[in-house]
Amino acid sequence: MNMVKKSFPLRKVYGLLEPGPVVLLTTAENKQPNIMTMSWHSMLEFEPPLIGCVISNRNYSFDLLQTTKDCVINIPTVEIAKKVVQCGNSTGATTNKFKKFGLTPIPAKHVSAPLIDECYANLECKVFDSNMVEKYSLFVFKVVKAWINPGANTPRTLHHLGYGRFMIAGETITIRSKMR
Amino acid sequence: MNMVKKSFPLRKVYGLLEPGPVVLLTTAENKQPNIMTMSWHSMLEFEPPLIGCVISNRNYSFDLLQTTKDCVINIPTVEIAKKVVQCGNSTGATTNKFKKFGLTPIPAKHVSAPLIDECYANLECKVFDSNMVEKYSLFVFKVVKAWINPGANTPRTLHHLGYGRFMIAGETITIRSKMR
């Protein structure tokens, strides 16, 4: 794949993460990138988009994050489901996951971590608040730039149910609502 | 509906919330119950299950929570999608949402807030940590008891995409994984 990403408005970012997709978090130090599979995240604010993410200090990404203070949240779809699991089952301490699993890093605009080209959406993030890291492994990220693949209207995102079982995004419905 | 709920193991609760369903949060003060629609939540710990939930002080539920320190997180499915939106579009300050939208409260075992019978899963919660409420409107709840409808194998949960548009849980796949 070699998608041409287009810019995505920050005010709409919440709609990408609210439905709870599994995401791939990328980090990089000295141009050595890493990838971590993650499901424990929540929007905390609409705009600028703030996202709370649980990242344990047992993960290699934890140390990279503490050093570089930035990352990219990449949203994969079912087409690369196997790679998503492989990224979750290996450690960046001994594996270059981009090379090993055939994923393509693209330079980000504002952060040191790369985008994953094979993901339909990518959120460049900076660490905004580390105060809850010690107690809950909870980082608060601020999205500084968002990207999306043109034509990604109904992405078949993955939603983890435990032990490698995933729900795949199904049909969409619209119900008249006053809520954002 | 009048489902007979069965007990659900606390260690498995994360699998209900990781996929990111819209939930209905119930609270109650002086036997006056309320319902709030919510999508901003994340697991914070497996067991005992800790859940971070964003609840703005503009919501009527915010005051009830501060008083009673407990709630129930109810997980609805597409069958009651319209009621989910109606709960989100009205306020408990002036509306008894159970009566108005035809939902059935069932007494909980350990908390003052009621379960919603029409939801396939119900998590009785106590406020565990309020330290992040002022800065992020983020409550940390501890699940003290969980219930599920027998036979709820592939619940068609709702996943909000913004402005009343919802993705409905689709098919499931399993990929061999070492991850919990």
Side-chain angles (χ1 to χ4, degrees):
Chain A
M1 270 192 276
N2 197 354
M3 294 286 191
V4 178
K5 307 278 183 186
K6 75 173 182 186
S7 187
F8 187 73
L10 293 183
R11 71 179 185 279
K12 291 187 176 178
V13 160
Y14 79 96
L16 303 176
L17 291 182
E18 245 185 60
V22 173
V23 300
L24 296 173
L25 184 112
T26 46
T27 44
E29 193 186 15
N30 299 325
K31 302 199 174 176
Q32 280 293 331
N34 191 35
I35 310 174
M36 176 189 151
T37 304
M38 184 175 77
S39 274
W40 289 13
H41 57 77
S42 173
M43 291 304 302
L44 296 178
E45 188 53 81
F46 283 109
E47 197 176 358
L50 297 182
I51 304 167
C53 296
V54 177
I55 297 160
S56 158
N57 60 11
R58 294 184 302 275
N59 289 299
Y60 184 62
S61 299
F62 183 92
D63 297 328
L64 295 186
L65 259 177
Q66 295 284 41
T67 307
T68 65
K69 310 286 187 198
D70 73 38
C71 65
V72 177
I73 294 174
N74 305 271
I75 311 182
T77 46
V78 66
E79 291 79 10
I80 59 166
K82 196 176 168 190
K83 295 173 198 278
V84 170
V85 171
Q86 287 172 324
C87 285
N89 281 211
S90 53
T91 172
T94 53
T95 308
N96 181 324
K97 301 190 194 181
F98 276 98
K99 282 191 183 159
K100 185 158 185 184
F101 305 128
L103 293 166
T104 311
I106 308 181
K109 185 162 183 185
H110 297 297
V111 303
S112 61
L115 317 183
I116 299 176
D117 196 21
E118 288 80 3
C119 289
Y120 89 96
N122 316 80
L123 313 175
E124 299 186 21
C125 298
K126 297 198 173 179
V127 173
F128 179 77
D129 189 342
S130 303
N131 286 322
M132 294 166 287
V133 170
E134 194 179 336
K135 195 165 182 189
Y136 295 109
S137 305
L138 183 67
F139 289 83
V140 179
F141 298 128
K142 182 168 89 168
V143 182
V144 294
K145 180 73 190 168
W147 303 95
I148 202 157
N149 283 352
N153 289 322
T154 51
R156 299 186 71 211
T157 47
L158 297 160
H159 301 255
H160 193 229
L161 303 167
Y163 296 99
R165 197 165 150 252
F166 295 89
M167 175 272 278
I168 304 169
E171 60 176 316
T172 60
I173 57 171
T174 301
I175 298 173
R176 195 165 161 176
S177 173
K178 292 186 291 188
M179 306 276 285
R180 177 177 185 183
Chain B
M1 270 193 275
N2 197 353
M3 294 285 189
V4 180
K5 308 277 182 187
K6 74 173 183 186
S7 187
F8 186 72
L10 292 183
R11 70 179 185 280
K12 291 188 175 177
V13 161
Y14 79 97
L16 302 176
L17 291 182
E18 247 187 58
V22 173
V23 299
L24 295 173
L25 185 112
T26 47
T27 43
E29 194 185 15
N30 298 327
K31 303 197 174 179
Q32 279 294 330
N34 190 36
I35 309 174
M36 175 190 150
T37 304
M38 182 175 78
S39 274
W40 289 12
H41 57 77
S42 173
M43 290 304 302
L44 296 178
E45 186 55 81
F46 284 108
E47 197 178 358
L50 297 182
I51 304 167
C53 296
V54 178
I55 297 159
S56 156
N57 61 11
R58 294 184 302 276
N59 289 297
Y60 184 62
S61 299
F62 183 91
D63 297 327
L64 294 187
L65 259 178
Q66 296 284 41
T67 307
T68 65
K69 309 287 188 196
D70 73 39
C71 65
V72 176
I73 295 175
N74 306 271
I75 311 181
T77 46
V78 67
E79 290 78 10
I80 59 166
K82 195 176 169 192
K83 294 173 197 279
V84 169
V85 171
Q86 287 172 323
C87 284
N89 281 211
S90 54
T91 172
T94 53
T95 308
N96 180 324
K97 301 191 193 181
F98 276 98
K99 282 191 183 161
K100 185 159 185 184
F101 306 128
L103 293 166
T104 312
I106 309 181
K109 186 163 181 182
H110 297 296
V111 302
S112 61
L115 318 182
I116 299 176
D117 196 22
E118 287 79 4
C119 290
Y120 89 96
N122 316 80
L123 311 176
E124 298 186 20
C125 297
K126 295 198 173 177
V127 173
F128 180 77
D129 189 344
S130 303
N131 286 323
M132 295 166 287
V133 170
E134 193 178 338
K135 196 165 182 189
Y136 295 109
S137 305
L138 182 66
F139 288 83
V140 180
F141 298 129
K142 181 166 88 168
V143 182
V144 294
K145 180 74 191 166
W147 303 95
I148 202 158
N149 284 352
N153 290 322
T154 52
R156 300 186 71 211
T157 47
L158 297 160
H159 301 255
H160 193 229
L161 302 166
Y163 296 99
R165 197 167 149 248
F166 296 90
M167 175 271 279
I168 303 169
E171 59 175 316
T172 61
I173 58 170
T174 302
I175 298 172
R176 197 165 159 176
S177 172
K178 291 186 292 188
M179 306 276 286
R180 178 178 186 182

